Amino acid sequence: NLTPCNDGIFFDPLLDMQICGTPVSGVNGGRFGNTRTDGYGNPKPHFGLDLLCPVGTPVFSSTSGTVVKVFTKFSSEYGMEDYIEEYGDIPRKNNGNFVFIESVLNGIVYTFCYLHLKDVYLVVGDAVSPGQIIGTSGITGNYSQTLSGGSHLHLQIKNGVQSSKKNVDPEFFIYTRFDSEGNSINHCK
């Protein structure tokens, strides 16, 4: 069954939901907020939710909306280490292959950002339904094998108008709830 867990409003972006932590910050490093630390132990923000999944895992839309931005120029398994080896450095904010889906919920505009994808099955202007497959997970962009806990989907959600969008906690916009170890505590009914 390729229908992700949902409550009829919000759908999980993956069939198997588990938070992907980081070697330095543990499972909390995969959560939204000041959950990471820099090399000196200082808090560092993480603007999304990292969900553990093998490369090529189907990724689903969490809600309905319209595709507003797509990037697909990274080859399927081209991560940060590969980019640095080839070009010497990587842009600080490199999302890899991604799709941004704009949705209006309770009169507020949100943009759901699915990052580090291998494949994207949508183009700008496409209408998207909740639970629709939008692509597959990958390791593109600034994904790092050494700084990450493994291959993952980075889900980032912004609200507000384009010029002043603010990041919000993605855990409020998915079905699954997690325990302190990053494991799902509610399962599909």
Side-chain angles (χ1 to χ4, degrees):
N1 182 9
L2 285 181
T3 301
C5 293
N6 67 86
D7 61 6
I9 299 170
F10 296 116
F11 285 61
D12 284 341
L14 301 172
L15 294 176
D16 183 27
M17 298 284 286
Q18 181 179 359
I19 294 176
C20 180
T22 65
V24 174
S25 302
V27 71
N28 277 337
R31 285 192 140 123
F32 175 85
N34 285 322
T35 58
R36 296 183 175 187
T37 55
D38 63 16
Y40 305 100
N42 300 310
K44 181 179 168 185
H46 182 234
F47 299 115
L49 178 65
D50 289 344
L51 298 166
L52 192 63
C53 57
V55 172
T57 299
V59 175
F60 302 88
S61 177
S62 295
T63 189
S64 61
T66 303
V67 177
V68 294
K69 197 170 186 182
V70 170
F71 186 86
T72 58
K73 293 188 179 175
F74 275 88
S75 63
S76 62
E77 294 184 16
Y78 192 82
M80 183 167 71
E81 285 86 356
D82 300 314
Y83 190 97
I84 290 172
E85 187 176 308
E86 189 167 330
Y87 298 106
D89 197 7
I90 192 165
R92 187 176 70 83
K93 290 184 178 180
N94 193 305
N95 302 323
N97 295 334
F98 63 76
V99 61
F100 290 6
I101 299 172
E102 196 170 88
S103 183
V104 179
L105 304 167
N106 296 322
I108 301 171
V109 176
Y110 292 92
T111 304
F112 287 69
C113 309
Y114 303 84
L115 312 180
H116 307 314
L117 301 176
K118 175 181 178 187
D119 302 300
V120 174
Y121 301 148
L122 305 168
V123 296
V124 172
D126 281 352
V128 180
S129 300
Q132 178 179 335
I133 296 176
I134 60 173
T136 62
S137 63
I139 56 170
T140 60
N142 66 359
Y143 161 83
S144 169
Q145 292 177 344
T146 55
L147 299 176
S148 171
S151 61
H152 64 274
L153 168 68
H154 176 91
L155 175 63
Q156 190 167 334
I157 301 174
K158 301 173 182 227
N159 74 344
V161 296
Q162 188 64 37
S163 61
S164 62
K165 288 194 178 213
K166 296 191 181 342
N167 292 297
V168 295
D169 189 344
E171 288 191 51
F172 295 120
F173 296 87
I174 58 177
Y175 172 82
T176 293
R177 299 295 170 248
F178 301 99
D179 64 17
S180 61
E181 299 299 313
N183 299 306
S184 172
I185 58 172
N186 60 328
H187 302 284
C188 290
K189 297 173 182 166

